[in-house]
Amino acid sequence: MEVVICDDEQQRGRLVGDVIARLVGSRPDAVLGLATGSSPRPVYADLLARVRAGTLDLGGVSTFSLDEYVGLPAGHPAGYRTEIREQLTDPAGIPAERVHTPPGDAEDLPAAAADYERRIAEAGGVDVQLLGLGTDGHIAFNEPGSSLASRTRIKTLTRRTREDNARFFDDDVDAVPTHCLTQGLGTILQARHVVLLATGEHKARAAAELVEGAVSARWPATVLQWHPHVSVLLDEAAAGRLELAGYYREAWAAKPAWQGL
């Protein structure tokens, strides 16, 4: 696990944009795992800037989003399918048939979850998976207590997660769905490169547990310690509780530029 304490969101976006641009340059039909929320937005802004400048073509990639609320109708403004299309895939020119989101409006959710796993496998697996980090340590919607070997499935959202996400529902926590369809921790671990982004003091405890804590279902993100290639990008506030922050800075400063993340 590599930890990079970044100066600003532009640096975070550029570093991850370099990873994806290098991947797509060698494999135009790469598979990207997408996250929603504020954390990955600098990455999407960087990618779109490259597309508009003509230095990156994302038209051949496929995308698989992490999760979706259960019960929201297609096109709902707070739905993750809508957010991904608006933030990246539509303006980047990724064909709609290559953009995949867990179908939270499916009639048979267990069958839909199994089908989503099948689609990821048939695409060849995820090359680069973007993640945010919940204040309680969740990744995707794998809340505390989730099985570290879990696959795509329906999950009940904690009150805390619904409160955190109420800002997307006009600050009405009761409007936030109580369930979601989410990739599991075992699913995420199969991605070839995982990139997690977290910012803000309110993420500091979760970031410290992720990087330096024990692997535990209490802090689901800690399962990433078992992954062979994880990049954790933090701002100063989110890195505020790391005991080894000085070492992470030294290691990044000494890293050969050609390696990237």
Side-chain angles (χ1 to χ4, degrees), residues 5 9 23 28 43 72 83 120 122 153 179 195 215 224:
I5 302 171
E9 68 176 26
L23 169 66
V43 176
L72 291 186
E83 182 173 342
I120 294 174
E122 288 179 349
R153 69 217 185 283
H179 293 85
V195 180
V215 175
L224 296 178

Side-chain angles (χ1 to χ4, degrees), residues 217-237:
R218 171 62 186 85
W219 296 93
T222 59
V223 74
L224 296 178
Q225 294 180 29
W226 288 342
H227 194 284
H229 190 187
V230 177
S231 305
V232 178
L233 278 63
L234 307 173
D235 67 358
E236 290 287 348

